[in-house]
């Protein structure tokens, strides 16, 4: 398409002068948290609205430059006729020209889940998935999550040239105030970084609120001198580290955080991957454990294994006579997985690209759990797995579009979906997490 990627106009007057203001009525949901509207027959994907409502929207594309584009993109700036799903936003600072990361904060929580279910169903349908009743795919809340608030245990803050701490706007480099940041875990809100002025050289701040032990603050700056940082008293017992182009320098603590799932503790690099919702690791472990049903003495591969979350669960199932391999591309995460699971003799770790590693295997495996990044597993890995896995593939996904694509590949190879659950692990955003179980056809 010809659409430009320019920043939206900063004032309504500018947008109006450029012919970028339109009155639009949102129809069905589309991917990316937007809704489909139509203007003179052309599809416009509108952000910041809800089904059935009419809004004044600011075009993000220049209508002259994008005159031939198949579709335009727009952002609602004023509600002319509210839809039934609209509620007062849970995060005022996330509205128009506000911070990114809560694009559905103005939609009632049950409606968010209904809309995400519709998007997921449509993606599965479009990918040609046929082995599972698609209408049964419904987004479920995380256990004990009543209001979708206080769930985010990892937050990236941005810092402007004057040291003010906030978050970036949607499609913008501007640093904006986060206000109360109601999606963040209480331990992150307690640090009150919004009222702190960062020293020169701090470009961003990662804050982590783990389930065990103190929170961690990582100050990020290519040229930041760790000696120039003094830790404010208001950060209490938080661990603090500085990350520069040269690596991580812990100022207090050792640059890791501790997460607890059941009885087991996991050490995670403060800036490394861990499930973000405070209930996610526990919930996904429970669901994946149930789905794996790995045979006693059997074999499991935990692909994209991180610091060993699912490998620990698999190890319990196969017992000491079984084998579990955790495959992870990030060297530090893989090292931590080995340390986290060193008491489980049946677990080994491999630091490798997953597809390369699976391609190089000679023998097969009973069960696989895979949890790739948003880009998904891809056709080659899915085809390989359908050949070497003897019983079951449990696919954990945070991106429905790549999941749908990958499931279609497995179906083409004759595999079928026996379960597909979707969880609202990112409330007030359009993102969801899912767990799909694929089984080999009976031979
Ligand atoms: C969504 S996380 C899942 C981690 C783990 N399963 C968990 O729940 O904590 C994806 C992981 O895959 C790793 N990764 C990404 N691309 C990879 C690749 N091509 N090969 C191996 N690991 C990869 C990332 O470093 C990250 O740890």
């Amino acid at each position: 398409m010809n659409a430009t990627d320019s920043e939206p106009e900063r004032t309504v007057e500018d947008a109006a002068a450029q012919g970028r203001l339109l009155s639009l009525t949102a129809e069905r949901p589309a991917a990316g948290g937007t809704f489909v509207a139509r203007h003179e027959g052309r599809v416009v994907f509108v952000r910041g609205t809800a089904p059935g409502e009419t809004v004044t929207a600011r075009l993000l594309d220049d209508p002259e430059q994008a005159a031939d584009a198949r579709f335009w993109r727009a952002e609602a700036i004023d509600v002319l006729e509210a839809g039934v799903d609209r509620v007062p936003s849970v995060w005022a600072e996330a509205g128009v020209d506000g911070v990114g990361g809560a694009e559905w904060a103005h939609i009632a929580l049950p409606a968010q889940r209904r809309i995400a279910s519709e998007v997921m169903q449509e993606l599965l349908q479009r990918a040609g998935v046929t082995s599972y009743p698609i209408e049964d795919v419904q987004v479920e809340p995380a256990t004990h999550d009543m209001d979708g608030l206080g769930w985010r245990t990892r937050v990236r803050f941005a810092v402007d040239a004057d040291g003010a701490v906030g978050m970036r706007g949607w499609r913008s480099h501007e640093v904006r105030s986060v206000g109360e940041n109601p999606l963040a875990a209480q331990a992150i809100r307690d640090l009150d970084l919004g009222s702190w002025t960062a020293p020169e050289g701090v470009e961003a701040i990662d804050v982590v609120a783990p389930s065990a032990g103190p929170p961690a603050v990582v100050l990020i700056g290519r040229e930041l001198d760790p000696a120039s940082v003094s830790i404010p008293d208001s950060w209490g017992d938080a661990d603090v580290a500085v990350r520069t182009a040269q690596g991580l320098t812990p100022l207090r603590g050792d640059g890791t955080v501790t997460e607890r799932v059941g009885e087991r503790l996991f050490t995670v690099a403060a800036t490394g991957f861990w499930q973000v919702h405070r209930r996610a690791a526990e919930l996904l472990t429970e669901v994946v454990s149930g789905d794996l049903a790995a045979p006693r003495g059997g074999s499991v591969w935990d692909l994209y294994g991180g610091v060993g979350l699912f490998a620990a669960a698999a190890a319990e199932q196969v017992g000491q006579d079984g084998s579990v391999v955790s495959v992870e591309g990030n060297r530090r995460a893989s090292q931590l997985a080995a340390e986290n699971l060193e008491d489980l003799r049946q677990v080994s770790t491999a630091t490798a690209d997953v597809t390369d590693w699976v391609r190089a295997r000679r023998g097969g495996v009973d069960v696989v759990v895979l949890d790739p990044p948003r880009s998904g597993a891809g056709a080659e890995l899915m085809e390989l797995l359908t050949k070497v896995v003897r019983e079951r593939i449990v696919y954990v996904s945070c991106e429905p579009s790549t999941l749908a694509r990958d499931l279609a590949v497995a179906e083409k190879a004759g595999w079928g979906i026996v379960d597909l659950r979707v969880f609202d692990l990112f409330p007030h955003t359009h993102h969801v997490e899912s767990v799909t179980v694929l089984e080999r056809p009976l031979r």
Side-chain angles (χ1 to χ4, degrees), residues 218-277:
V218 181
L219 305 172
I220 301 163
R222 277 158 296 187
E223 309 280 324
L224 182 59
D225 176 6
S228 72
V229 175
S230 62
I231 304 173
D233 290 343
S234 58
W235 291 2
D237 65 347
D239 285 351
V240 181
V242 167
R243 204 180 87 201
T244 66
Q246 277 70 50
L248 193 84
T249 308
L251 301 182
R252 187 160 68 201
D254 64 358
T256 67
V257 293
T258 308
E259 298 283 357
R260 176 191 293 279
V261 180
E263 295 298 300
R264 183 167 285 279
L265 296 178
F266 293 85
T267 301
V268 187
T271 52
F273 180 87
W274 185 257
Q275 302 289 345
V276 172
H277 190 291

Side-chain angles (χ1 to χ4, degrees), residues 47 91 93-95 97-102 166-170 176-178:
R47 182 182 188 269
W91 190 3
E93 286 80 2
D97 292 340
V99 295
M167 284 172 76
R168 296 219 182 274
W170 178 66
R176 296 172 187 162
S177 163
V178 295

Side-chain angles (χ1 to χ4, degrees), residues 27-45:
E27 301 166 13
R28 60 190 172 79
T34 64
F35 296 85
V36 172
R38 271 164 224 282
H39 176 71
E40 293 171 355
R42 186 195 313 264
V43 165
V44 185
F45 293 108

